[in-house]
């Protein structure tokens, strides 16, 4: 076996020859790969090796000797410690190119059809775009309660200081609640001892309606001075439409427990996406960046070319957002989602928007699809896919290939599983386009829309 050419805790000068999927720089020493966060292709940097594995190593940037033209001054005080963003050192338009290239690289490695990935659709104003903030609470070195975000790869809390991707009102309300916690000497949850009350503060904001939901996540049942806190919050922030107490007494990394108690309001807020109104509850999934979500949905539907003859399956439909967008173009839409509460919300959203040609079914997509196709004999002409990060299961792919709808659109939050799944459809479908959309500016995440059309029989026979 060749000797590894780098040693831990030693310094080296390297050229950054590429950027990886997380936006990190890639360097090589004697053909041995080194990953260096916060560096950019084209830069020469001095690095310290912090970890060495048999196939690659990780370096820490010490000094930039030659700077890339795409580098910009980092605009966030906690950027180097926080795990929220990882591309703030790169000019925004260049982050869009990095995302396009990372998807293209996967296409080139995996697909027979080496189609050109389209340029990433960016955001006009890529700041303060998140409509949901989840702040863990902790105790600092001065023994004072703090709220913030977890540091990269740890559960140490970095105090919030003007985050550039969160809605400013989320931060303001969180700081207000934190002051109340301090004044009333309310205890903070400790992960190690599992004692203490306050665990998280979660804020959801309706971007178009300005309605606000506060979720107080506690390890217990009662909050000291609860009614006083509610009165203070609604007096100071009249846009707060609901305050929910969420009980989470489990030893878990999952933020929300299953029990919600409404302290004020109806336990939900509303927001508007496109022409539709949606109810958002504490546990329901709703796109974190609705401005880009609207672009994503409109583009997906335009690509789908849905007509009044189409029976549509919307698999992994969540609270029915894209199902409702599609309903006005289609004959019938069936939405399928495993989360019972999301389906309940989807049904309410259909009612709220007076849409009658949608049907929502709760259950595992794998089994529901099987039942629709093989037992009920309901055959779609178009399928919309928006699975979780792990992508599609083989059973669902088999069932889709059994009926071969003439068109499909696959929305994905994970390009690696998207391309893996597209490869399984490639013998039967032409992949017309892959369009990345920037849903999370200044992070390495990229959402993609892939458009698939069934090959003609003659194509299959060639």
């Amino acid at each position: 076996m060749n000797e590894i050419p780098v040693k831990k805790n030693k310094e080296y000068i390297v050229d950054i020859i590429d950027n990886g999927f997380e936006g990190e720089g890639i360097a090589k020493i004697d053909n041995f790969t080194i990953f260096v966060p916060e560096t950019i292709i084209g830069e020469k940097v001095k690095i310290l090796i912090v970890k060495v594995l048999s196939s690659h190593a990780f370096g820490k940037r010490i000094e930039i000797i030659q700077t890339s033209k795409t580098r910009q001054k980092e605009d966030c005080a906690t950027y180097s410690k926080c795990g929220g963003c990882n591309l703030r050192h790169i000019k925004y338009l260049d982050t869009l190119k990095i995302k396009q290239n990372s998807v293209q690289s996967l296409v080139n490695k995996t697909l027979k059809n080496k189609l050109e990935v389209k340029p990433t659709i960016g955001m006009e104003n890529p700041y303060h775009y998140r409509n949901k903030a989840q702040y863990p609470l902790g105790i600092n070195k001065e023994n004072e309660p703090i709220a913030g975000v977890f540091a990269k790869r740890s559960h140490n809390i970095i105090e919030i200081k003007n985050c550039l991707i969160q809605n400013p009102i989320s931060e303001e309300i969180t700081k207000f609640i934190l002051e109340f916690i301090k004044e009333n000497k309310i205890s903070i949850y400790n992960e190690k001892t599992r004692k203490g009350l306050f665990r998280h503060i979660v804020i959801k904001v309706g971007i178009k309606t300005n309605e606000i939901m506060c979720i107080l996540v506690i390890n217990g049942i009662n909050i000291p001075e609860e009614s006083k806190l509610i009165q203070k919050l609604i007096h100071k922030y009249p846009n707060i439409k609901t305050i929910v107490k969420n009980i989470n007494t489990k030893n878990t990394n999952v933020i929300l427990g299953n029990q919600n108690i409404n302290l004020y309001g109806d336990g939900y807020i509303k927001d508007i996406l496109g022409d539709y109104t949606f109810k958002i509850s504490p546990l329901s999934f709703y796109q974190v960046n609705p401005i880009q979500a609207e672009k994503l949905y409109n583009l997906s539907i335009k690509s789908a070319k849905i007509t009044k003859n189409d029976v549509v399956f919307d698999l992994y439909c969540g609270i029915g957002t894209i199902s409702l967008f599609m309903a006005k173009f289609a004959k019938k839409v069936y939405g399928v989602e495993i989360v019972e509460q999301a389906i309940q919300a989807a049904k309410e959203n259909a009612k709220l928007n007076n849409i009658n040609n949608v049907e929502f079914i709760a259950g595992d997509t794998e089994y529901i699809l099987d039942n629709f196709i093989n037992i009920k004999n309901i055959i779609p002409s178009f399928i919309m896919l928006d699975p979780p990060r792990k992508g599609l299961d083989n059973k669902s792919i088999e069932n889709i290939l059994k009926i071969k709808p003439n068109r499909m659109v696959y929305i994905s939050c994970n390009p690696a599983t998207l391309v893996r799944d597209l490869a399984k459809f490639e013998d039967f479908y032409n992949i017309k386009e892959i369009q990345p959309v920037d849903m999370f500016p200044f992070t390495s995440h990229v959402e993609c829309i892939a458009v698939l059309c069934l090959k003609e029989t003659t194509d299959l026979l060639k």
Side-chain angles (χ1 to χ4, degrees):
M1 191 182 138
N2 292 342
E3 197 184 329
I4 292 170
V6 295
K7 288 191 167 52
K8 191 178 172 180
N9 296 329
K10 284 209 132 190
E11 291 182 4
Y12 299 86
I13 289 172
V14 295
D15 292 315
I16 304 299
I17 56 168
D18 203 354
N19 281 103
F21 293 113
E22 293 289 318
E24 73 282 27
I26 297 171
K28 295 217 174 200
I29 292 178
D30 294 346
N31 225 21
F32 186 76
T33 303
I34 303 154
F35 295 105
V36 190
E38 291 173 45
T39 60
I40 307 170
I41 184 169
E43 292 189 325
K44 188 185 279 290
V45 287
K46 185 192 276 189
I47 63 168
L48 175 74
I49 299 293
V50 290
K51 189 176 184 181
V52 180
L53 301 171
S54 59
S55 58
H56 58 278
F58 295 91
K60 183 184 171 187
R61 185 188 89 193
I62 295 172
E63 183 193 340
I64 302 170
I65 296 162
Q66 205 171 304
T67 306
S68 163
K69 289 191 181 81
T70 65
R71 180 173 286 281
Q72 66 176 8
K73 193 175 182 317
E74 292 147 22
D75 51 6
C76 170
T78 56
Y79 176 57
S80 58
K81 299 179 208 145
C82 166
C85 307
N86 47 3
L87 300 178
R88 296 210 82 84
H89 59 291
I90 302 170
K91 289 174 186 167
Y92 182 60
L93 291 179
D94 291 291
T95 68
L96 301 180
K97 286 177 196 153
I98 286 172
K99 294 184 189 202
Q100 179 191 2
N101 291 344
S102 71
V103 181
Q104 187 69 59
S105 168
L106 286 164
V107 166
N108 295 349
K109 280 179 199 159
T110 316
L111 297 182
K112 292 178 211 161
N113 171 16
K114 314 290 182 202
L115 75 160
E116 259 186 58
V117 173
K118 293 193 153 191
T120 310
I121 294 171
M123 215 177 163
E124 286 75 27
N125 177 20
Y127 298 91
H128 303 297
Y129 55 82
R130 287 186 63 94
N131 63 0
K132 180 174 85 169
Q134 304 179 138
Y135 295 115
L137 301 186
I139 300 288
N140 66 10
K141 285 170 186 164
E142 285 74 47
N143 219 23
E144 288 177 333
I146 54 165
V149 290
F150 289 126
K152 286 176 197 168
R153 291 177 289 281
S154 89
H155 269 212
N156 298 332
I157 294 171
I158 297 162
E159 211 167 340
I160 43 173
K161 285 188 180 118
N162 183 28
C163 176
L164 293 162
I165 63 173
Q166 288 293 7
N167 191 314
I169 195 70
S170 303
E171 210 168 287
E172 199 185 315
I173 291 170
T174 300
K175 284 176 179 170
F176 185 84
I177 296 168
L178 194 65
E179 280 310 307
F180 184 88
I181 288 168
K182 286 180 191 173
E183 281 165 23
N184 292 276
K185 297 184 171 49
I186 301 170
S187 63
I188 300 294
Y189 180 71
N190 180 316
E191 282 185 345
K192 292 190 180 84
T193 64
R194 294 181 57 193
K195 293 199 163 54
L197 186 69
F198 253 95
R199 292 180 77 141
H200 276 82
I201 296 166
V202 180
I203 310 288
K204 293 188 177 191
V205 184
I207 298 295
K208 297 264 177 75
T209 59
N210 289 318
E211 294 185 3
I212 299 168
M213 173 190 290
C214 286
I215 307 168
L216 310 170
V217 185
I218 59 167
N219 173 43
I221 301 294
N222 298 312
I223 299 172
E225 304 287 358
E226 191 171 89
S227 55
K228 192 164 135 192
L229 172 60
I230 293 158
Q231 288 311 312
K232 282 192 159 209
L233 274 170
I234 59 179
H235 176 73
K236 174 92 172 151
Y237 302 102
N239 282 358
I240 292 179
K241 289 289 176 276
T242 192
I243 301 169
V244 177
K245 181 165 62 174
N246 177 272
I247 313 298
N248 186 356
T249 55
K250 289 183 180 168
N251 182 17
T252 173
N253 284 339
V254 177
I255 292 169
L256 296 177
N258 292 324
Q259 191 186 352
N260 289 308
I261 299 162
N262 291 353
L263 302 178
Y264 172 73
D266 298 324
Y268 66 85
I269 56 169
K270 288 178 183 167
D271 199 15
I272 295 163
L273 203 59
D275 301 330
Y276 308 101
T277 302
F278 292 95
K279 277 169 93 167
I280 302 156
S281 68
L283 295 171
S284 68
F285 172 79
Y286 182 70
Q287 287 286 1
V288 164
N289 184 343
I291 291 165
Q292 291 297 87
E294 208 169 299
K295 287 184 195 172
L296 181 86
Y297 292 164
N298 286 332
L299 203 62
S300 301
I301 289 161
K302 193 179 167 193
S303 308
K305 297 184 167 58
I306 300 167
T307 72
K308 283 292 176 196
N309 300 321
D310 279 319
V311 172
V312 174
F313 282 7
D314 180 13
L315 306 182
Y316 314 93
C317 69
I319 61 166
T321 38
I322 202 161
S323 300
L324 300 191
F325 267 66
M326 291 190 288
K328 74 172 172 187
F329 302 102
K331 182 179 176 182
K332 177 90 180 193
V333 178
Y334 293 92
V336 182
E337 169 63 56
I338 198 164
V339 181
E340 192 85 45
Q341 261 190 311
I343 285 295
Q344 205 44 55
K347 287 175 179 174
E348 285 177 26
N349 288 327
K351 212 169 165 182
L352 191 65
N353 292 283
N354 298 315
I355 293 172
N356 305 313
N357 63 332
V358 290
E359 193 178 314
F360 291 107
I361 301 104
D364 190 328
T365 295
E366 185 180 336
Y367 301 112
I368 303 279
L369 193 57
D370 205 31
N371 182 43
F372 268 22
I373 292 164
N374 301 314
I375 295 165
K376 291 185 176 170
N377 203 30
I378 299 171
I379 309 294
S381 48
F382 171 73
I383 293 182
M384 178 69 74
L385 298 157
D386 189 359
R389 289 191 68 76
K390 65 182 179 185
L392 297 172
D393 58 87
N394 286 328
K395 183 77 175 156
S396 294
I397 291 173
E398 270 171 43
N399 273 319
I400 290 167
L401 287 175
K402 199 180 279 182
I403 54 162
K404 298 193 183 71
N406 56 39
R407 289 152 8 262
M408 289 194 287
V409 168
Y410 187 149
I411 299 172
S412 169
C413 58
N414 183 351
T417 54
L418 167 71
V419 173
R420 177 202 72 196
D421 292 346
L422 290 179
K424 294 172 187 172
F425 287 116
E426 225 182 346
D427 286 345
F428 304 95
Y429 284 85
N430 285 318
I431 298 155
K432 292 287 191 191
E433 63 178 63
I434 298 176
Q435 173 66 71
V437 179
D438 194 22
M439 300 291 282
F440 300 96
F442 294 112
T443 77
S444 55
H445 294 288
V446 59
E447 201 101 358
C448 289
I449 303 165
V451 181
L452 294 86
C453 291
L454 192 63
K455 289 180 180 180
E456 296 300 326
T457 319
T458 47
D459 285 348
L460 293 175
L461 296 174
K462 273 179 190 173

